[in-house]
Amino acid sequence: MNPLRNELKILDRENNDLAADIECRENYAAVQNMVRYLSSSSLSLFQIQVIRKDLIGMALEADKEGLALQDKLGVAPKEFCDDIIQNGESSARSEHLLNAAVNTIQFAAIWLFIKYFLFSPYTIAWSDLLLVFLYYMGCNFLASYIRNRFSIASSPVVRHLPYLFIFFLFLSAFMLLSRFYEPVNRPILIADGWLVITVAAAIAAAATMLSNIYWRRCAGKYTC
Amino acid sequence: MDKSQLMKGILEGCILKIIDKSETYGYEIVVKLQENGFQDVREGTLYPLLLRLEKKKLISATYKPSPLGPSRKYYVLTKDGKEYLYSFYNSWKETCISVNRIFNEENMKEERI
């Protein structure tokens, strides 16, 4: 039992490899868009990957039969996805929080590590907290949620525009605040750099292992 | 008439019966349902129903390699599934008797008139 093994990421990678075998571009895009739409629902993240695996299987069969995926399904993609959402396991909210928390803790640890080599004496300022908070809000939640919600839209511009807009909005907010609002640069903590890095790394490792245990439990529910 | 709600419950029972006969996969279930008169059923209709049955722990799935391409998801009935199928069939027979009785009564009245 490897504590560093993340079953969700492994299944995601397997699905990426499997999806590469879909020859028909329309079928490939249809699978991608349906999975993105499902990702904006309350479905369990692990179940979304299991459903993705099944959809890729159907798309590969459709390829062999010379059919469009939608013709094989016999229903409109949105109707199909809404039916799945209605009948699937719903635990996405807590899982999104778990993923976001782990990603943010990992990001914070990396940022503290980089900072140690850039600045001396070692301080943690409000701007560091702001950066981590913006990362948490911007990258983990809002941008991915809006991008997924627009995924069934046919135009790629419509799909990617909200993501880019939010990314630049948060980046500008951070730059402006740290440039023109002095209190944000005030230190909260002046400490031994190695101690801070060690504590941050230990917290990040523990959070990663705990989330991996959760994903292993989820994997046990499905035979993939 | 919107048949979808009526059909969902009936289809669930029929899917369980097909799976009960032998371990099978999605496309084969669709073909069997179509052969038996459920012409409108497609893979897109069946998949959410299979998810629902899996969620209720009435069936369980395993991936097995397929000679034609990607691995297939094979379904088997669980112990709960067998019990559910038994009670579904009993309820179905009782419902059939009641519905037939009502409709036959109506027919007899019409004949008398």
Side-chain angles (χ1 to χ4, degrees), chain A residues 125-135 173-174 177-178 184:
Chain A
W126 287 106
S127 59
D128 294 316
L129 288 188
L130 181 72
L131 183 74
V132 170
F133 176 73
L134 290 180
Y135 177 84
F174 174 71
L177 267 170
S178 45
V184 95

Side-chain angles (χ1 to χ4, degrees), chain A:
Chain A
M1 199 170 77
N2 182 358
L4 297 175
R5 191 182 158 93
N6 184 325
E7 297 288 345
L8 182 70
K9 281 190 183 159
I10 289 169
L11 184 56
D12 183 34
R13 255 178 254 136
E14 281 173 9
N15 281 339
N16 289 341
D17 293 344
L18 204 58
D21 294 337
I22 303 174
E23 283 166 10
C24 171
R25 298 311 299 166
E26 285 79 17
N27 287 347
Y28 180 84
V31 172
Q32 295 286 88
N33 292 340
M34 281 194 271
V35 171
R36 287 202 187 119
Y37 183 72
L38 293 171
S39 302
S40 72
S41 74
S42 60
L43 279 181
S44 147
L45 299 185
F46 201 90
Q47 192 176 29
I48 291 173
Q49 286 303 326
V50 175
I51 293 167
R52 184 177 168 214
K53 184 175 178 170
D54 295 340
L55 281 173
I56 294 169
M58 286 184 213
L60 288 169
E61 280 179 5
D63 266 5
K64 286 207 162 44
E65 292 160 20
L67 288 172
L69 181 60
Q70 192 178 334
D71 293 335
K72 188 169 174 64
L73 292 175
V75 286
K78 191 173 182 301
E79 192 189 330
F80 176 69
C81 291
D82 287 339
D83 247 3
I84 288 176
I85 293 165
Q86 211 184 341
N87 292 303
E89 305 264 358
S90 324
S91 51
R93 217 170 278 166
S94 52
E95 288 177 351
H96 278 300
L97 273 173
L98 173 77
N99 261 358
V102 173
N103 286 344
T104 308
I105 291 168
Q106 288 169 344
F107 172 77
I110 291 166
W111 172 242
L112 291 174
F113 186 77
I114 292 168
K115 221 188 148 188
Y116 179 67
F117 290 101
L118 293 179
F119 304 102
S120 183
Y122 195 81
T123 57
I124 297 175
W126 287 106
S127 59
D128 294 316
L129 288 188
L130 181 72
L131 183 74
V132 170
F133 176 73
L134 290 180
Y135 177 84
Y136 178 81
M137 292 302 288
C139 295
N140 280 318
F141 278 120
L142 216 48
S144 54
Y145 175 79
I146 293 176
R147 194 195 58 180
N148 290 338
R149 205 66 203 169
F150 278 87
S151 64
I152 276 187
S154 53
S155 156
V157 179
V158 175
R159 265 185 269 146
H160 292 101
L161 212 58
Y163 191 78
L164 285 173
F165 173 73
I166 285 169
F167 176 75
F168 283 112
L169 187 77
F170 277 100
L171 191 67
S172 318
F174 174 71
M175 302 279 275
L176 284 170
L177 267 170
S178 45
R179 176 86 178 80
F180 295 109
Y181 189 62
E182 189 51 33
V184 95
N185 293 319
R186 266 185 222 148
I188 311 165
L189 179 75
I190 301 171
D192 177 5
W194 279 113
L195 179 72
V196 174
I197 291 170
T198 311
V199 171
I203 293 172
T208 308
M209 283 178 196
L210 283 174
S211 82
N212 289 350
I213 289 170
Y214 174 80
W215 294 122
R216 196 174 306 122
R217 269 192 206 160
C218 287
K221 280 204 270 179
Y222 305 94
T223 321
C224 310

Side-chain angles (χ1 to χ4, degrees), chain A residues 50-52 54-55 58 73 80 84, chain B residues 42-52 63 73 75:
Chain A
V50 175
I51 293 167
R52 184 177 168 214
D54 295 340
L55 281 173
M58 286 184 213
L73 292 175
F80 176 69
I84 288 176
Chain B
R42 306 295 298 271
E43 283 196 64
T45 335
L46 180 76
Y47 187 77
L49 288 172
L50 289 170
L51 270 188
R52 187 180 156 112
Y63 286 94
K73 206 174 185 179
Y75 297 93

Side-chain angles (χ1 to χ4, degrees), chain B:
Chain B
M1 182 205 159
D2 179 19
K3 290 198 295 182
S4 59
Q5 286 308 314
L6 179 72
M7 289 296 283
K8 266 186 188 172
I10 299 169
L11 268 179
E12 273 189 16
C14 295
I15 293 165
L16 287 177
K17 183 65 191 168
I18 291 168
I19 298 172
D20 187 40
K21 281 181 188 164
S22 65
E23 188 184 50
T24 182
Y25 57 95
Y27 182 69
E28 207 172 56
I29 300 173
V30 172
V31 171
K32 281 185 185 162
L33 286 168
Q34 287 177 344
E35 280 171 0
N36 287 286
F38 291 101
Q39 299 296 341
D40 296 341
V41 175
R42 306 295 298 271
E43 283 196 64
T45 335
L46 180 76
Y47 187 77
L49 288 172
L50 289 170
L51 270 188
R52 187 180 156 112
L53 294 171
E54 246 187 301
K55 187 180 165 186
K56 289 186 338 197
K57 300 196 188 322
L58 301 178
I59 56 172
S60 64
T62 339
Y63 286 94
K64 287 186 181 176
S66 148
L68 295 171
S71 57
R72 277 184 185 143
K73 206 174 185 179
Y74 281 81
Y75 297 93
V76 285
L77 227 60
T78 61
K79 192 172 164 276
D80 286 353
K82 284 184 188 292
E83 284 166 14
Y84 182 90
L85 180 61
Y86 178 77
S87 67
F88 165 82
Y89 192 58
N90 283 338
S91 309
W92 170 250
K93 279 193 289 188
E94 284 168 20
T95 311
C96 263
I97 292 167
S98 309
V99 173
N100 284 338
R101 203 178 288 151
I102 290 169
F103 276 82
N104 287 343
E105 224 171 76
E106 284 290 313
N107 288 343
M108 280 164 73
K109 272 184 195 168
E110 278 171 19
E111 277 170 19
R112 264 183 239 144
I113 294 164

